[in-house]
Amino acid sequence: MTPSTPEAPDTGASADPVEFPIARSCPFSPPDAYAPMRERGTPTKVAVPGGKEAWLVTGFKDVRAALSHPASSSDARHPAFPALGDGEQAVAAELRPFIRMDPPDHTRVRRMLVGEFTVKRVREMRTAIEEICREQVEYLLSRPMPADLVGDYANRVSTTVICRLLGVPMEDLEFFRRITSISGARTSTAEEVGAALADLFGLIDRLIDEKAQSPGDDLISRLVNGPLERGEITRHSLLSQIGITLNAGHETSRNMIPLAALDLLDNPDQLDLLREDPSLWPGAVDELLRHLSVADVITLRVATEDIPLEGATIPAGDGYIALLAAANHDPEAFPEPGGLDIARSQRNHVAFGYGVHQCVGQNLGRLEIEVALRVLFEKVPTLRPAVPVGDLPLRSSSAIFGLEEVPVSW
């Protein structure tokens, strides 16, 4: 039987699309509305900021099918691209970061980056990441209680790791932390975000010139003295690709580290298992990634042809969003998905996306989160939230979910 075109859900008095994004009520769980949407078995029509409509794909099998189909387009220049932030589509269409490209352009740029994030290359970074985490734990402990686990630890760890990988000098770290905090904060105005991004690109532009004259053992140096020098990428495109790598490498870890720490404190039996057997940490990180799914709505797509799913078809020309948190909490794929179980054997979650756009930096992300959490709990065994988790200020950009701050004591 040919799958049908999805119908808008019955929302009571009217069939108006559901407003999206939908807020989480708990930092450890997807929005409550995702479960009934998934149970209906067909995509749900939603209204996204800016007046467009799009489809939400929620089931685990459907999300993987929708993200791996050849007609799944990430190109932000498409009129139906379901952007979630003010000006997001215009910026992405102008800058063309590789996550908003389709093959063959996406393939060409991704190939320039993927060698930096292999398992072997990332494994060689472990010692350096451990040193960074130990330094930042000492900084956290030097702060008056309650300290902020986001600003005083997670942000400093994630910023230092990605800047060291790219070759951003240490003297620029505080500058980078400031501009990324502004660009990622829910309270920032469009003007403030624009100014922060302009400062970021000014920094990268200066580094390109410096690395051309005096290259180092870092990603920017290799891109400048390789693909850029050979004419395989323009300077404008290189600025964009470095910018998205900096931002993505910083944002996901910055939000995962404090959320995962709180999740483990909220599940002390799981934390006890890790303290008894540290070899469980790699599997625990994958379970935390699944459970929290902070990059829930980064998978914005357009169907360039009809995309068949199990119970329906996404029509050609329509925008859609494959919800990673909804897929990662599908009970058909993950029994009792609301619980945190570090002994789960599955590593087939979609926290890093799926298909050709699956996160290029996932190996680094896993290692960074693992080391940051392990060092934190080893050095601060009495860590505890200073306020109830339900009172913490939730933070949501157009792509990444997290917390504004996490006051902690010990």
Side-chain angles (χ1 to χ4, degrees):
M1 180 180 295
T2 302
S4 62
T5 296
E7 297 289 338
D10 180 5
T11 56
S14 71
D16 291 338
V18 176
E19 294 293 324
F20 192 84
I22 301 169
R24 296 191 184 198
S25 59
C26 169
F28 307 139
S29 305
D32 297 338
Y34 284 10
M37 289 178 183
R38 186 177 54 238
E39 289 164 4
R40 277 195 293 271
T42 58
T44 298
K45 181 163 279 190
V46 294
V48 298
K52 295 180 183 178
E53 294 183 353
W55 299 101
L56 295 186
V57 183
T58 52
F60 181 76
K61 291 181 180 178
D62 278 350
V63 163
R64 299 216 308 179
L67 292 178
S68 59
H69 196 280
S72 172
S73 172
S74 295
D75 194 334
R77 297 174 298 179
H78 196 290
F81 184 78
L84 301 179
D86 182 27
E88 177 184 351
Q89 183 174 11
V91 171
E94 165 65 21
L95 297 179
R96 300 210 67 211
F98 74 99
I99 66 168
R100 299 302 181 213
M101 291 179 176
D102 292 334
D105 291 338
H106 169 265
T107 308
R108 174 178 54 82
V109 177
R110 184 184 177 97
R111 191 177 295 123
M112 298 176 188
L113 299 171
V114 70
E116 300 293 324
F117 299 99
T118 62
V119 172
K120 180 178 183 295
R121 179 67 66 88
V122 167
R123 188 180 295 129
E124 293 169 351
M125 296 178 65
R126 176 179 283 271
T127 299
I129 294 174
E130 288 175 344
E131 292 175 357
I132 290 168
C133 292
R134 284 194 291 268
E135 290 173 1
Q136 301 311 326
V137 163
E138 292 302 319
Y139 178 83
L140 176 72
L141 294 174
S142 73
R143 307 295 290 166
M145 289 192 286
D148 177 16
L149 191 60
V150 177
D152 295 336
Y153 184 64
N155 186 48
R156 297 176 67 86
V157 167
S158 62
T159 301
T160 307
V161 169
I162 194 63
C163 285
R164 186 169 296 184
L165 173 73
L166 275 95
V168 176
M170 294 298 291
E171 58 265 27
D172 290 324
L173 277 178
E174 288 304 323
F175 169 81
F176 180 74
R177 290 188 185 115
R178 178 182 64 80
I179 60 177
T180 54
S181 294
I182 293 171
S183 63
R186 181 180 53 185
T187 55
S188 298
T189 66
E191 291 74 18
E192 289 171 333
V193 172
L197 291 177
D199 287 345
L200 173 61
F201 280 94
L203 167 65
I204 297 170
D205 197 45
R206 173 176 60 79
L207 288 173
I208 288 174
D209 287 335
E210 291 179 0
K211 303 294 183 181
Q213 296 298 319
S214 181
D217 183 18
D218 56 73
L219 176 56
I220 295 179
S221 291
R222 284 187 280 275
L223 291 174
V224 168
N225 296 281
L228 181 64
E229 187 177 59
R230 294 192 296 267
E232 297 168 5
I233 191 171
T234 66
R235 188 184 183 101
H236 176 82
S237 181
L238 182 61
L239 279 166
S240 178
Q241 310 323 322
I242 295 172
I244 191 63
T245 304
L246 271 166
N247 190 58
H250 167 263
E251 276 290 284
T252 305
S253 298
R254 174 196 182 277
N255 288 283
M256 265 299 300
I257 292 167
L259 270 172
L262 285 178
D263 207 358
L264 288 170
L265 290 170
D266 197 52
N267 291 273
D269 59 322
Q270 302 297 293
L271 183 55
D272 286 344
L273 290 174
L274 290 166
R275 284 174 165 148
E276 294 167 5
D277 185 0
S279 70
L280 298 174
W281 269 112
V285 168
D286 269 299
E287 172 65 352
L288 288 160
L289 285 162
R290 179 204 68 82
H291 195 232
L292 298 170
S293 296
V294 299
D296 178 24
V297 298
I298 199 169
T299 45
L300 310 176
R301 300 288 189 269
V302 176
T304 58
E305 301 174 5
D306 286 354
I307 297 180
L309 305 178
E310 284 204 334
T313 296
I314 301 174
D318 281 11
Y320 67 95
I321 305 165
L323 295 178
L324 305 183
N328 281 335
H329 283 253
D330 187 340
E332 291 190 7
F334 305 98
E336 300 183 14
L340 183 71
D341 179 6
I342 66 170
R344 284 186 201 269
S345 58
Q346 300 107 317
R347 199 183 180 184
N348 61 334
H349 61 77
V350 291
F352 288 113
Y354 192 70
V356 297
H357 281 88
Q358 191 172 35
C359 177
V360 70
Q362 61 180 290
N363 293 322
L364 177 60
R366 283 188 172 95
L367 178 63
E368 184 179 340
I369 294 163
E370 175 197 334
V371 174
L373 292 172
R374 180 172 55 78
V375 170
L376 178 66
F377 283 112
E378 286 177 358
K379 299 292 185 181
V380 197
T382 57
L383 185 76
R384 65 184 186 276
V387 299
V389 171
D391 294 340
L392 294 173
L394 302 183
R395 171 187 182 276
S396 181
S397 68
S398 62
I400 306 293
F401 172 81
L403 294 164
E404 294 283 2
E405 60 181 350
V406 178
V408 290
S409 302
W410 47 86

